[in-house]
Amino acid sequence: MRPRVVPIAVLLVVIMTAASADAQETRTGIAELRFSPGVVRQGGVFGDDDPEGAGSTFGVTAGLQVRLSPTRRAGLVFEAVLQPVGVRNPHFDETLRSLYTQVGIEIGRRTYVRPSLGVAFRSWSGASAGEATSLAPAIGLAIGRRGLPTAGVSVWPELVLLSSFEAGAWHWMIGVQVPIARAR
């Protein structure tokens, strides 16, 4: 039970931070809250002694981003991305799902790049799943182009690459996220 509490607690902290940042945005303009659904191609490599690719499959993501100093050319971004569609381990009956929590710096106003680092909270399920959860270092890169706001909402696409690694299990996702935010 305890290993599942950590990812849930982190998700709650991110949601509370995002809600606080959204409230501050309306008063001071210091933060921008974004909801970012996505579609990705995902895969992985599993195994210590005999690494084998899991093949790639399509998946979806759901994310929250909090961008500090949205009117500046560069700003800090806190991001949480949930990968609910799992990647199956070809060696054993287990499936990997992840919650990526990262911090990055977004550089650019209209066209931007956002490298990020963080951790992935990994959830293992299946008959062979040893640990219910694990932590892994994570790295990400997003490239986007903001559109002009319409009807009080900004919507734009961004190309995203996320990856995490721990001994015997490498996971990757590449695809498109669509951040949605209130127009400034």
Side-chain angles (χ1 to χ4, degrees), residues 90-174:
H91 294 289
F92 302 107
D93 177 21
E94 62 184 6
T95 301
L96 169 67
R97 292 174 182 81
S98 300
L99 170 64
Y100 284 79
T101 56
Q102 301 186 100
V103 176
I105 185 152
E106 191 169 281
I107 304 164
R109 287 193 182 113
R110 185 105 191 255
T111 301
Y112 62 87
V113 62
R114 183 178 63 247
S116 58
L117 293 171
V119 295
F121 295 90
R122 296 169 145 205
S123 173
W124 297 88
S125 61
S128 300
E131 291 184 29
T133 60
S134 60
L135 287 174
I139 187 168
L141 178 67
I143 301 169
R145 177 148 174 90
R146 275 183 179 273
L148 297 174
T150 57
V153 176
S154 291
V155 178
W156 64 93
E158 64 181 22
L159 177 64
V160 62
L161 171 64
L162 296 168
S163 183
S164 62
F165 180 84
E166 67 180 293
W170 172 55
H171 174 253
W172 58 266
M173 293 188 288
I174 185 167

Side-chain angles (χ1 to χ4, degrees), residues 8-83:
I8 292 169
V10 169
L11 186 58
L12 288 174
V13 167
V14 168
I15 290 170
M16 291 184 330
T17 302
S20 171
D22 188 42
Q24 289 177 355
E25 175 189 356
T26 59
R27 286 178 276 151
T28 64
I30 64 167
E32 175 180 67
L33 175 65
R34 307 168 181 167
F35 171 65
S36 56
V39 177
V40 295
R41 190 81 174 163
Q42 62 185 7
V45 176
F46 296 89
D48 291 328
D49 298 331
D50 182 24
E52 186 176 339
S56 63
T57 60
F58 281 101
V60 296
T61 61
L64 282 176
Q65 302 172 359
V66 178
R67 165 64 149 94
L68 301 179
S69 304
T71 57
R72 295 193 175 163
R73 181 167 159 63
L76 203 58
V77 175
F78 299 96
E79 181 174 23
V81 177
L82 178 64
Q83 172 232 353

